[in-house]
Amino acid sequence: MGQKQLFLKACAREPVERTPVWLMRQAGRYLPEYLKVRQQAGSFLNLCKTPALATEVTLQPIRRFGLDVAIMFSDILVVPEAMGMKLDFLEGEGPVFAEPLRESRDLNRLIRPKVEKKLGYVYNAIEEMRAALPSKVPLIGFAGSPWTLATYMIEGGTTKKFTHIKTALYRDPDFLHMLLGALADTVIDYLNGQIDHGAQAIQIFDTWGGILGPKNYRAFSLDYMTKIVRNLKKTGPDGERVPVILFSKGCASYSKDIATSGCDVISLDWTADAKKIRRQLGDKVAFQGNLDPAVLYAPEEVIRKEVRKTLKSFGNKPGHIFNLGHGMEPDMNPDNVQLLVEIIREESSHLLKRNSKKR
Ligand code: CP3
């Protein structure tokens, strides 16, 4: 085993010489080399299901920008598909479940999948990715939160209104809890398999946690994520700790509760006041985030100013991983990502050097 990687040090709240960085949705349509491989694959789902191609697109942003972490290329919605729901990705429309779940008896259509069999292609991809990545770049595995997966399974796709899932929440909460429980069980199996096959950290994407009020957030999202965190293997096959990152978009004000889940890292979106939250939580957990992705549309001097602000807002205690507050968009310029990564390197090494002299 070589030296512990920068990212894993930061997750463990150990001191680092510069702040590690990766970007949510770092592999994707803003990269011309990604579009080429997707075309070769024929479709997005085929790309996810072909380990050699998924490995290639996982590595693309690492090669191009020298990021500190890779995230396996896949999608959160392969889990509902493995549970028996027919999934399509339509050009310009995104994911579609043609037969969404609407009431308790629809749950009969779901199975608890044998993950090694149904999602074995993900595990094969993880092994290929690990073999291809430089040892200093750890690999993140991931899953959607039960709540976020349920929104897609009940709405049937992307929505702005969340009519069907909110109707279920207020009219038939038992149906929803049954679904969320089944999802949590499958996600636990799925993520433990990812750890067995070589994922070195896990991120849970709760993209839609923020549409819930505080009480419902706990009951319908956080409780299920907590169950997942508590049931994950704590170490990988190499004996190293596998940190868990929770990303509940729009939920920064619940950070104190989120920390009680047992997660190692809380990922914040750009609406979060990192300084305040760090002060509240002390060094109970590490944090990830939280640059507004739209800063990537701005000129260099603005990017630099915003990076400095972000680094300072997380303060000088160890335990910060630089990331965006949400994912990269297809119309973003890869040259600005290069610039962003260089600026984070420069500014964070300056800042950390200054701070270590002060101490
Ligand atoms: O680089 C990475 O971050 C790894 C790959 C990754 C993808 N999706 C690839 C993808 C990850 C971690 C995800 C997670 C995901 N998928 C989330 C949670 C994170 C978030 O962005 O909030 C959600 C909600 C999904 C569901 C999903 N997948 C949607 C709504 C869409 C269509 C809209 C969109 O953003 O493109 C997808 C498709 C998808 N997933 C693409 C990629 C690269 C685009 C597919 C293509 O056309 O090539």
Side-chain angles (χ1 to χ4, degrees), residues 131 150 190 251 294 347:
Y190 178 48
C251 298
E347 295 291 335

Side-chain angles (χ1 to χ4, degrees), residues 25-27 29 34 38 44 74-76 152 205 207 326:
R25 293 291 190 94
Q26 63 192 23
R29 285 165 295 180
Y34 167 84
R38 190 185 65 171
F44 170 66
S74 183
D75 198 82
I76 62 169
Y152 288 97
F205 285 94
T207 307
H326 197 197

Side-chain angles (χ1 to χ4, degrees), residues 27-44 46-47 50 52-54 56-58 60 63-64 73 91:
R29 285 165 295 180
Y30 75 102
L31 290 176
E33 59 267 37
Y34 167 84
L35 292 174
K36 234 171 154 177
V37 177
R38 190 185 65 171
Q39 196 182 19
Q40 194 187 336
S43 73
F44 170 66
N46 266 345
L47 175 49
T50 312
L53 298 182
E56 167 56 25
V57 293
T58 298
Q60 285 173 346
R63 279 192 213 116
R64 204 195 244 256
F73 191 83
E91 204 57 56

